[in-house]
Amino acid sequence: MLYTPRLVNGRPVALTWPMTFYRRFNIICWPLEDNAVWWTHIFTTVIYMVSFLIFVMHNDAEVRYLRVNFHNLDDMLTGIPTYFVLIEIHIRAFTSAFEKKSFKWMLRKFYAEIFIEESLRPDIHAGNLRSYYPVLAFSILYLCALLSYIVFTIYGLAVGEKPLPYKMIPPFDYNSWYIYTPLVLSSLWVGFIVASTIVGESYALTMFVHNLDGRYQMMGERLNMGVENILKFSSNDSEAIEKFHRILIATLKENIRLNKFAQEIQREFSFRIFIIFSFLAATLCVLVFKVYTSPVNSIPYVFWTIGKVQETIAFGQIGTTIISRTDALSSMYYESKWEAVIQHSSNAKANVSFFVLCRYFKVLAHILHFSYRYVEDDSMD
């Protein structure tokens, strides 16, 4: 029923545990297979509507807690982190649910054209695996925070209480087991939606960016290798310019193809990143305050605080990767030893015509920086 990504040869992808966690525990955001039967679409729609109502109910209950404790700063700040993350995921998850098709298209295109398997380039594949460590680190911390809420709830039940996982005041009496049980289960369901969204989206973004960066690296290596092969010929090679022209055109087309996927990443994740950083500073300040004032009673907040810091580092690493690759691409064409190719060419007419290609260099500033403008394939034929 749930979509399973496949490689270009049709073999199902062995998803890493963050993506598996996202796929299994977030039916709201994860797309269905193309051949999914009609009742699965109805089922996921019902789950979406029920989950939305549960989030609204929790929103109301947590706001009530904040209003009741408005004049008690310590108690009020205890409920703010969970309320902030509830609103953040409410926006992110239920917005992503409307973009399931585009996310499935991205996964399909990514594993068919962008993903770098170990058999293709072991060095780049190993580097990509290392780049996932910051995301894996804060993913584990978020899961530990979720687990701590579950443990505290079970402990409260064990000592004869009826605690709620999060700080909230429902607008009804929940002392009856018939009401308390579904309320707690719905609260834990919200926790899994929150954790899976944070873990899955962040890992997917990191995976997309770093594999795309590896493809850009491979593109530059092919350009340099092609030029080196041209320069191996004698200095009177009459076809040197034509050979370089073909290599340059192929590189530009590859550059455009990768840029289009980069723009898909931008369209898919820009709004989500905006929401993440909109809540990041305020949430982190509250978490640090709670950990500082009451470290013993704030075990979930300890995991949460470290996870938020690690999340910031992970997104900073993604930005650094984009900037570094953009800077490298901006000089790649100019440093491709094209002047040495002219020197090796004995075709004076082709040498003169080559300078016409300089007009293509004018668009490189747009091609790079994950360009917003495209050089159409027809203009390069």
Side-chain angles (χ1 to χ4, degrees), residues 182-230:
L183 178 61
V184 171
L185 292 178
S186 67
S187 298
L188 297 180
W189 169 248
V190 168
F192 276 100
I193 293 294
V194 169
S196 62
T197 300
I198 294 174
V199 172
E201 287 187 349
S202 301
Y203 190 89
L205 175 60
T206 304
M207 184 173 59
F208 289 160
V209 169
H210 285 283
N211 279 274
L212 183 62
D213 176 70
R215 286 291 178 177
Y216 277 117
Q217 178 183 337
M218 293 168 61
M219 178 191 70
E221 291 174 354
R222 283 195 297 269
L223 173 62
N224 294 331
M225 186 179 301
V227 174
E228 291 295 334
N229 289 335
I230 293 175

Side-chain angles (χ1 to χ4, degrees), residues 166-371:
Y166 321 116
K167 297 297 182 180
M168 58 185 187
I169 301 178
F172 48 79
D173 183 12
Y174 59 88
N175 288 321
S176 170
W177 285 103
Y178 296 103
I179 298 177
Y180 175 77
T181 301
L183 178 61
V184 171
L185 292 178
S186 67
S187 298
L188 297 180
W189 169 248
V190 168
F192 276 100
I193 293 294
V194 169
S196 62
T197 300
I198 294 174
V199 172
E201 287 187 349
S202 301
Y203 190 89
L205 175 60
T206 304
M207 184 173 59
F208 289 160
V209 169
H210 285 283
N211 279 274
L212 183 62
D213 176 70
R215 286 291 178 177
Y216 277 117
Q217 178 183 337
M218 293 168 61
M219 178 191 70
E221 291 174 354
R222 283 195 297 269
L223 173 62
N224 294 331
M225 186 179 301
V227 174
E228 291 295 334
N229 289 335
I230 293 175
L231 297 180
K232 288 180 180 180
F233 292 96
S234 65
S235 59
N236 293 322
D237 185 5
S238 60
E239 298 182 358
I241 291 297
E242 292 298 327
K243 293 177 182 178
F244 180 73
H245 182 269
R246 288 193 293 269
I247 293 173
L248 180 61
I249 296 303
T251 303
L252 285 171
K253 288 184 176 181
E254 174 69 4
N255 205 158
I256 292 170
R257 184 182 70 85
L258 297 178
N259 290 346
K260 289 182 178 180
F261 186 78
Q263 288 193 339
E264 292 297 328
I265 297 177
Q266 180 182 348
R267 280 192 286 269
E268 184 74 22
F269 290 96
S270 290
F271 177 73
R272 306 179 200 183
I273 294 176
F274 169 75
I275 296 298
I276 290 172
F277 282 96
S278 296
F279 287 88
L280 178 63
T283 304
L284 192 57
C285 288
V286 175
L287 289 171
V288 171
F289 175 82
K290 290 301 300 178
V291 172
Y292 177 76
T293 56
S294 182
V296 177
N297 298 323
S298 302
I299 295 178
Y301 297 124
V302 172
F303 291 122
W304 201 343
T305 302
I306 301 174
K308 272 294 180 185
V309 173
Q310 191 65 40
E311 184 179 9
T312 307
I313 295 173
F315 280 110
Q317 184 186 50
I318 293 174
T320 301
T321 300
I322 294 174
I323 293 173
S324 300
R325 182 54 54 191
T326 300
D327 291 340
L329 288 174
S330 63
S331 57
M332 180 186 71
Y333 293 94
Y334 292 103
E335 297 177 356
S336 60
K337 299 181 181 180
W338 55 270
E339 71 282 359
V341 175
I342 296 177
Q343 183 179 0
H344 277 66
S345 174
S346 61
N347 190 331
K349 183 177 180 181
N351 290 347
V352 174
S353 300
F354 173 75
F355 286 100
V356 178
L357 291 176
C358 291
R359 66 188 178 93
Y360 292 120
F361 293 154
K362 294 180 181 179
V363 301
L364 293 182
H366 301 290
I367 291 177
L368 308 169
H369 294 85
F370 297 148
S371 66

Side-chain angles (χ1 to χ4, degrees), residues 30-136:
W30 193 267
L32 299 175
E33 290 282 7
D34 294 335
N35 58 351
V37 295
W38 62 271
W39 65 265
T40 59
H41 294 277
I42 296 177
F43 176 75
T44 54
T45 301
V46 171
I47 292 295
Y48 175 90
M49 296 174 63
V50 171
S51 300
F52 187 87
L53 293 176
I54 290 175
F55 267 76
V56 171
M57 185 268 290
H58 278 73
N59 192 335
D60 174 75
E62 293 194 28
V63 168
R64 288 174 184 272
Y65 175 87
L66 298 179
R67 287 169 55 189
V68 169
N69 295 278
F70 183 76
H71 298 290
N72 187 326
L73 181 62
D74 185 63
D75 288 342
M76 185 184 71
L77 291 179
T78 302
I80 284 182
T82 54
Y83 179 67
F84 276 0
V85 76
L86 177 71
I87 298 299
E88 176 187 336
I89 302 304
H90 202 162
I91 297 173
R92 288 170 56 187
F94 290 92
T95 300
S96 302
F98 287 101
E99 302 173 352
K100 284 184 177 182
K101 291 184 178 179
S102 64
F103 183 61
K104 180 167 67 173
W105 178 89
M106 284 194 65
L107 288 172
R108 181 179 291 124
K109 188 175 182 63
F110 170 75
Y111 283 108
E113 301 179 9
I114 306 297
F115 180 65
I116 301 174
E117 296 185 72
E118 184 176 8
S119 58
L120 179 63
R121 285 294 299 268
D123 55 333
I124 296 179
H125 180 79
N128 288 341
L129 292 180
R130 289 191 296 270
S131 67
Y132 302 154
Y133 290 163
V135 179
L136 295 176

Side-chain angles (χ1 to χ4, degrees), residues 130-148:
R130 289 191 296 270
S131 67
Y132 302 154
Y133 290 163
V135 179
L136 295 176
F138 81 73
S139 297
I140 293 173
L141 290 167
Y142 272 112
L143 293 180
C144 288
L146 175 61
L147 179 62
S148 64

